[in-house]
Amino acid sequence: MTAPLLEVRHLSKEFPLRGLRFGRHRGGTVRAVDDVSFDLYPGETLGLVGESGSGKSTLGRTVLRLFEPTSGEIVFDGEPVTADNAAGLRRRAQIVFQDPYASLPPRMRVRRILADPLLIHEIVSPSQVEERVASLLRDVGLSEEHARAFPHQLSGGQRQRVSIARALAVEPSLVVADEAVSALDVSVQAQILNLMKDLQAGRGLAYLFISHDLGVVRYMSRRIAVMFLGRIVEVGPAAEITSGPLHPYTSTLLAAVPKVGPQRTVTRLDSDHPAPARVDIGCSYRTRCPMAQEVCETDRPELVEWAPGRRSACHFALDVPQRLQASLPVPGSAG
Amino acid sequence: MSDALATVEQTALRSGPIAAGAGRRILRSPFLLVGLVGVTVIAAAAAFAPLIAPDDPTAQNLANILAPPIWVEGGTTDHLLGTDVLGRDVASRILYGARNSLFVAFSAMLLGSSLGLITGLLAGFFGGRVDSILMRLGDVQLAFPFILLAIAILGVVAARPAWLLIVVLGIPGWIVYARVVRSRVLAEKEKDYVAAAAAMGAGPWRRLFRYVFPSVWQVVPVIALLDVGFLIIMESTLSFLGLGLPPPAATWGGILADGRRNMVVSQWLPILPGLAIVVTVLSINLVGDGLAAVFDSRHIHRGLRRPFSSSVPSASPVDTDSEALLSVRGLHVEFPLPGATVKAVRGVDFDLAAGETLGVVGESGSGKSVTASAVIGLLDPPGRITNGAVLFGGEDLARFSDRRMTTLRGRQIAMIFQNPAVSLNPVLTIGFQLREAIRHVTGADRHTVRHTARQVLVAVGIEDPDRISRQYPFQLSGGMNQRVMIAMVLAARPRLLLADEPTTALDTTTQAQILNRLVELTEAEQISLVLITHDIALVSEYADRMLVLYAGEVCEFGPVRQVISQPRHPYTRALLESVPRVEDPAERLQVIPGELPDPRRDRVGCPFADRCPHVMDICREVTPPRYDIAPGHIAACYLWASEPAEAVAT
């Protein structure tokens, strides 16, 4: 296989807990991203799923150094990314955000939004900007007329297309898509997902595709990483993860996804779980885990390879398929 | 519900220029108009003082001192407002006074606002030490009585040139601007578009001036306008104290001071400049307040009437399902917005039996939330039911008075929303709110209420109801708050519960737990549930029957299993095929090309015609009737007409 485009090693990001008085730090921190490592190959999509608070968005932004990492290493195309050379990363890696209403500058016309990155990086000469803006718009399925519009004059789907065009302007090799379709209606969501797939095929883009929606992630990704409380608990090929998870959390996530079908399937009630606690020792999923044993309270499971290409941070990863599939309801029992 | 209106507004604003609406609102606001006229007249007087003033304001005529104004006995047309103690023409002095006062105040405002804008931008954007230093400076400034400082500075200077006055008056104003600008910058710089600019390599100065600045500077003009009014008073005060522009320059404060000394002889002399000051400052403030209101979107709906149901035309005789608890017939809802009327719901019909769960699916703009709000009589103003009937237990809710609806809401019909935190009071404990709600609907005694509260919390899956009861909404997760909301509405044992995207903001696992509970409880209690969602998979999991809405019209209605396995409307089918599925991933998602039709337009034919792969000529000409596919399963599509030509005739 070729060399990875992006290598992330033991990346952590802590946020200080601010006290109310004078905005001074009171010592405490929240570890939003906790010792995360993964590789992303050129032209590949790595899906990143997790629930709110899992740290997936923070991870996406820290990888782009929009947040300064607390510790760990980011290697992009063989070069370690540091605070000093992060500027180079800005030409190679871009981001598309969730909210199509907040992610575009409200008082700029589309033309200027797209021209700015071209001018900053001197990608084309000023005389060619107009032409390049038009071609970017065409690439994302908009027309030249949209260049004159302000963001508020566009629909949600059109805005998201502009966001994508802005990301593509610098001709990046990596795009972080942070819940890029979550705010869109399903019909528009399908349009944008297909557009992103086409752009990927045409330009050899790699995506770090962050979403809480397993269906969307499954559709877009070759591999999926599942995050829970700041850590990756399982990573592997998309098809294998969704058909036979090796971590109980992945299994719970999959069971909770509503499915279109003739039967009701979401019937397995996880005991109404307590809020997950961030723990220093042991497995942080153990308070919700139906398979938890004594060892889970004392030893933190590492993310290790249990089968070719399949890594899971569970002491009993190989038991997950039997143990949890067995407790799934017989189809139709509650339908 | 607010979501629905936001969508409606978005659509309305998208193509209509905002400025046009603002223009109309200016014309509709009498105070603003009066203020604008006042400011224009005074500004013109100041600007053209040399042309319109009858005399030189400094020309003395000691032969004719303290002449009365024309309307007082002895007044002459030579001096309309009389003369002062040196025989100078008061009218001319007041005109020139306007010129001087406005010039000083306006220049001081420009100085203060520029300083404040720059410091506010820097402090807000860079934060840290820059922010601390600038804001502490501001605190010092605010703690120090600036009029004393001004008096001290101006008192020791013999010649008081205009620039010194401008500096002394202008500089202290910066902090007001700086604070407001800073807080706007703080909010704006956290937005994703600024992060996106950083990601594409825009440096901090570029982000500040090209991205943040255009979104924040608008706060300055309104403050500036009010500031000018304040500065005119300050300038006049200083002049009155003899610390303004040195004599013989005409200033309103100076004339006032002169007048005060001679008021025994000439009562009008102090009143005239006083009037000038009052009228000027009042006009400026009227304009300032008026403009703030015009450009503040929160005021857009002020003055529009609440929905008012007695205007609903009586529904034509309808055949209703006698089994049904709720029968909606030919429901039309409109939002008359400035410039256009959004027709959000256009003839929706459905029936809901007791204890049944109906899933209402559609995308934004489909009218699904508006339909629910109309049923419970909670349409956001200016929305109103313009036609149709909402039959609940045989009575037409659309024709109920507000008062009658109030007695029904919460007892017979309840509703839960996407964001439970908004529906709960943040400063009262969960337990208090829950008990209050139960006491209100049941009128039970304290002991029973307490017992019921505990019971319903347990019923929605809360394991330690006593602890949760003592907590405040902000201490709980979104999922927990939604459970509390469900407990609260179910405690009243309503016959109908409307749930508008109740789990859209929640995580998938929480969604599954909550919906499982909800459906269990409503089935057990024989409560009819309307589950409104954009997620067709959710409906497929939890509903008995489903209603597919598109652009305010019914596409398909029928038993869930049947509609899901045999969708008969091309929109339903497209919707099913455009959802990415975990369990059965598609190689490529089906895409519905195009966008929703404009909700403001009247239309003929099928609303989906422009996006439909099976479109026929007739689809664009005549609205398709609803064809019976199977018992209880209908689809509004000509594909199911036995003979299309026949359908045209009906």
Side-chain angles (χ1 to χ4, degrees):
Chain A
M1 207 177 223
T2 49
L5 175 68
L6 174 73
E7 296 164 72
V8 172
R9 293 287 170 266
H10 305 293
L11 192 68
S12 292
K13 173 64 189 170
E14 291 178 356
F15 290 105
L17 283 173
R18 268 166 190 270
L20 287 178
R21 280 172 178 267
F22 306 113
R24 229 182 270 143
H25 300 175
R26 292 208 299 210
T29 54
V30 176
R31 209 158 235 251
V33 174
D34 188 2
D35 192 19
V36 166
S37 303
F38 65 89
D39 290 334
L40 179 62
Y41 291 89
E44 181 198 37
T45 301
L46 174 65
L48 197 56
V49 283
E51 305 198 322
S52 50
S54 64
K56 53 189 192 304
S57 279
T58 308
L59 176 58
R61 292 179 193 218
T62 312
V63 163
L64 291 186
R65 280 197 165 254
L66 290 174
F67 291 147
E68 209 46 41
T70 307
S71 63
E73 197 185 13
I74 301 161
V75 179
F76 192 86
D77 217 0
E79 298 250 340
V81 181
T82 63
D84 298 328
N85 70 5
L89 190 68
R90 306 269 173 262
R91 263 216 70 170
R92 307 288 312 279
Q94 283 297 308
I95 187 162
V96 175
F97 291 102
Q98 168 176 8
D99 183 352
Y101 294 95
S103 60
L104 295 177
R107 315 250 166 201
M108 271 195 202
R109 289 181 197 276
V110 169
R111 176 188 294 116
R112 246 183 81 187
I113 294 172
L114 299 183
D116 223 29
L118 297 173
L119 295 171
I120 290 171
H121 296 286
E122 295 171 354
I123 287 165
V124 293
S125 68
S127 61
Q128 291 171 305
V129 164
E130 197 78 353
E131 197 181 309
R132 179 59 71 90
V133 166
S135 93
L136 282 168
L137 285 172
R138 276 196 303 276
D139 288 350
V140 296
L142 295 172
S143 72
E144 282 172 52
E145 288 150 42
H146 292 111
R148 283 195 299 274
F150 282 104
H152 68 83
Q153 293 167 319
L154 302 175
S155 69
Q158 288 170 333
R159 284 159 165 254
Q160 213 55 333
R161 287 173 194 267
V162 173
S163 282
I164 293 170
R166 172 178 59 188
L168 296 179
V170 300
E171 294 159 5
S173 34
L174 166 67
V175 171
V176 174
D178 186 2
E179 299 274 12
V181 296
S182 307
L184 304 174
D185 275 317
V186 279
S187 66
V188 183
Q189 169 176 291
Q191 293 174 3
I192 301 292
L193 290 177
N194 284 352
L195 170 69
M196 291 184 74
K197 275 200 154 184
D198 295 343
L199 291 167
Q200 177 170 44
R203 298 170 177 242
L205 286 173
Y207 288 132
L208 181 59
F209 196 94
I210 301 167
S211 176
H212 68 282
D213 185 332
L214 263 165
V216 169
V217 167
R218 170 76 183 87
Y219 177 64
M220 292 299 288
S221 317
R222 187 196 298 168
R223 288 189 302 141
I224 293 178
V226 182
M227 276 189 91
F228 180 76
L229 286 188
R231 300 172 73 95
I232 291 181
V233 294
E234 179 167 12
V235 59
E240 292 176 37
I241 280 208
T242 49
S243 58
L246 290 184
H247 194 282
Y249 177 61
T250 317
S251 176
T252 305
L253 270 186
L254 282 165
V257 174
K259 293 160 194 82
V260 175
Q263 272 101 29
R264 185 178 291 179
T265 60
V266 185
T267 44
R268 198 188 71 205
L269 265 181
D270 232 8
S271 65
D272 290 338
H273 55 75
R278 288 173 193 266
V279 291
D280 291 326
I281 50 165
C283 174
S284 46
Y285 187 62
R286 65 166 193 263
T287 52
R288 287 168 65 176
C289 185
M291 297 170 48
Q293 315 247 329
E294 232 167 88
V295 62
C296 304
E297 283 174 34
T298 52
D299 292 353
R300 165 168 284 179
E302 294 300 321
L303 188 62
V304 291
E305 190 153 1
W306 293 87
R310 303 210 48 191
R311 297 194 291 154
S312 163
C314 176
H315 294 303
F316 307 101
L318 293 179
D319 296 341
V320 172
Q322 301 90 315
R323 292 282 299 276
L324 294 180
Q325 301 293 329
S327 65
L328 280 175
V330 184
S333 63
Chain B
M1 197 172 65
S2 55
D3 246 22
L5 190 62
T7 317
V8 164
E9 252 171 42
Q10 192 64 40
T11 342
L13 292 178
R14 202 182 290 155
S15 26
I18 295 171
R24 255 195 308 277
R25 288 200 295 279
I26 288 174
L27 292 180
R28 258 195 247 131
S29 158
F31 286 117
L32 179 54
L33 271 182
V34 168
L36 278 175
V37 169
V39 167
T40 313
V41 168
I42 292 157
F48 300 114
L51 297 178
I52 50 180
D55 280 315
D56 179 351
T58 56
Q60 302 181 5
N61 178 6
L62 296 176
N64 185 15
I65 64 165
L66 298 175
I70 184 163
W71 58 88
V72 177
E73 202 184 329
T76 66
T77 49
D78 287 350
H79 299 289
L80 291 177
L81 302 182
T83 61
D84 68 2
V85 73
L86 295 174
R88 295 174 295 194
D89 181 52
V90 171
S92 304
R93 286 187 68 76
I94 284 183
L95 283 173
Y96 273 87
R99 194 177 171 83
N100 286 331
S101 289
L102 288 187
F103 171 73
V104 168
F106 200 77
S107 308
M109 176 276 287
L110 281 183
L111 180 66
S113 60
S114 312
L115 260 179
L117 180 60
I118 292 167
T119 47
L121 283 171
L122 296 180
F125 192 77
F126 291 102
R129 191 164 295 170
V130 181
D131 186 28
S132 301
I133 292 173
L134 288 173
M135 288 302 114
R136 290 307 81 80
L137 264 177
D139 290 342
V140 171
Q141 149 95 65
L142 284 177
F144 199 88
F146 108 92
I147 188 76
L148 283 186
L149 183 70
I151 289 170
I153 294 175
L154 294 168
V156 297
V157 185
R160 291 182 298 276
W163 68 261
L164 185 64
L165 212 56
I166 291 168
V167 168
V168 167
L169 285 173
I171 287 182
W174 73 278
I175 182 64
V176 179
Y177 298 91
R179 289 200 155 177
V180 177
V181 170
R182 172 178 174 271
S183 66
R184 288 282 294 124
V185 171
L186 283 178
E188 209 64 23
K189 77 167 181 179
E190 294 302 325
K191 292 201 176 157
D192 282 345
Y193 71 87
V194 182
M200 74 187 194
W205 292 103
R206 194 181 191 97
R207 294 204 297 273
L208 176 55
F209 285 106
R210 279 184 79 103
Y211 288 82
V212 174
F213 175 72
S215 307
V216 302
W217 67 265
Q218 298 88 343
V219 296
V220 171
V222 170
I223 312 174
L225 212 51
L226 299 176
D227 195 23
V228 166
F230 171 75
L231 286 168
I232 287 174
I233 292 182
M234 280 300 129
E235 188 274 338
S236 301
T237 309
L238 289 175
S239 301
F240 181 80
L241 296 173
L243 297 170
L245 292 175
T251 59
W252 286 343
I255 305 169
L256 196 61
D258 281 351
R260 191 183 63 90
R261 280 191 289 272
N262 299 290
M263 74 188 272
V264 181
V265 189
S266 177
Q267 291 88 345
W268 281 102
L269 209 44
I271 292 175
L272 292 169
L275 270 178
I277 294 171
V278 167
V279 169
T280 308
V281 175
L282 193 63
S283 302
I284 289 175
N285 287 354
L286 284 178
V287 173
D289 287 345
L291 287 184
V294 164
F295 290 106
D296 185 345
S297 58
R298 276 172 299 179
H299 293 262
I300 288 181
H301 295 297
R302 205 165 56 180
L304 290 168
R305 280 186 307 170
R306 301 279 312 175
F308 129 80
S309 43
S310 56
S311 63
V312 177
S314 71
S316 47
V318 282
D319 59 316
T320 56
D321 186 345
S322 53
E323 303 273 293
L325 173 72
L326 177 71
S327 290
V328 171
R329 286 289 173 273
L331 184 70
H332 283 75
V333 179
E334 295 183 358
F335 290 82
L337 295 177
T341 293
V342 171
K343 294 171 181 151
V345 177
R346 308 178 180 218
V348 164
D349 308 78
F350 63 87
D351 291 310
L352 178 62
E356 187 186 35
T357 298
L358 171 72
V360 180
V361 209
E363 300 181 273
S364 44
S366 63
K368 57 187 190 304
S369 295
V370 176
T371 301
S373 305
V375 166
I376 197 171
L378 286 176
L379 282 171
D380 282 328
R384 55 202 177 88
I385 298 175
T386 52
N387 208 339
V390 179
L391 299 164
F392 177 74
E395 288 187 285
D396 187 359
L397 301 186
R399 307 175 65 75
F400 268 32
S401 66
D402 269 357
R403 181 175 295 185
R404 268 188 89 186
M405 275 313 290
T406 310
T407 61
L408 220 63
R409 269 197 296 265
R411 291 183 175 84
Q412 304 262 344
I413 308 179
M415 188 159 181
I416 53 178
F417 301 96
Q418 178 172 341
N419 187 352
V422 176
S423 318
L424 291 168
N425 188 330
V427 299
L428 300 174
T429 61
I430 294 294
F432 181 85
Q433 297 185 56
L434 183 57
R435 289 192 299 272
E436 198 54 27
I438 295 170
R439 200 187 51 75
H440 182 71
V441 277
T442 61
D445 64 274
R446 264 183 62 187
H447 181 75
T448 321
V449 166
R450 198 167 282 275
H451 180 71
T452 316
R454 222 174 162 279
Q455 241 179 357
V456 290
L457 285 178
V458 171
V460 295
I462 289 172
E463 275 167 6
D464 43 357
D466 297 326
R467 187 177 64 86
I468 297 292
S469 291
R470 284 192 302 272
Q471 294 195 293
Y472 292 90
F474 68 88
Q475 293 172 307
L476 303 176
S477 66
M480 212 41 116
N481 275 325
Q482 194 61 289
R483 283 172 203 266
V484 170
M485 275 312 298
I486 292 172
M488 202 176 273
V489 297
L490 290 186
R493 297 173 183 269
R495 293 161 73 194
L496 171 64
L497 175 59
L498 306 165
D500 188 0
E501 303 270 10
T503 56
T504 305
L506 306 176
D507 284 324
T508 326
T509 48
T510 317
Q511 163 173 289
Q513 292 165 359
I514 288 185
L515 285 182
N516 282 337
R517 285 279 180 185
L518 183 61
V519 169
E520 243 175 60
L521 288 172
T522 50
E523 271 170 11
E525 302 266 337
Q526 282 293 294
I527 298 169
S528 303
L529 175 65
V530 178
L531 178 64
I532 297 149
T533 173
H534 66 283
D535 188 347
I536 200 165
L538 220 52
V539 166
S540 137
E541 290 275 1
Y542 293 105
D544 304 315
R545 284 203 273 180
M546 67 189 279
L547 173 70
V548 183
L549 295 182
Y550 181 79
E553 299 188 32
V554 173
C555 291
E556 192 159 359
F557 179 60
V560 165
R561 310 277 165 259
Q562 202 174 337
V563 176
I564 294 283
S565 53
Q566 295 168 300
R568 288 301 188 232
H569 195 286
Y571 176 66
T572 315
R573 200 174 304 159
L575 210 51
L576 281 164
E577 284 169 356
S578 57
V579 184
R581 304 191 199 168
V582 187
E583 70 281 10
D584 176 22
E587 196 46 49
R588 195 164 173 82
L589 291 175
Q590 286 299 312
V591 158
I592 310 174
E595 303 216 336
L596 271 179
D598 190 333
R600 294 167 299 178
R601 295 248 170 80
D602 283 319
R603 56 179 171 242
V604 288
C606 172
F608 193 58
D610 285 340
R611 306 173 76 178
C612 182
H614 308 288
V615 64
M616 299 175 280
D617 288 342
I618 186 173
C619 303
R620 301 187 195 277
E621 288 153 17
V622 187
T623 306
R626 294 175 191 143
Y627 293 101
D628 288 318
I629 308 293
H633 183 182
I634 53 166
C637 177
Y638 286 118
L639 290 176
W640 308 101
S642 41
E643 258 182 80
E646 211 174 280
V648 184
T650 50

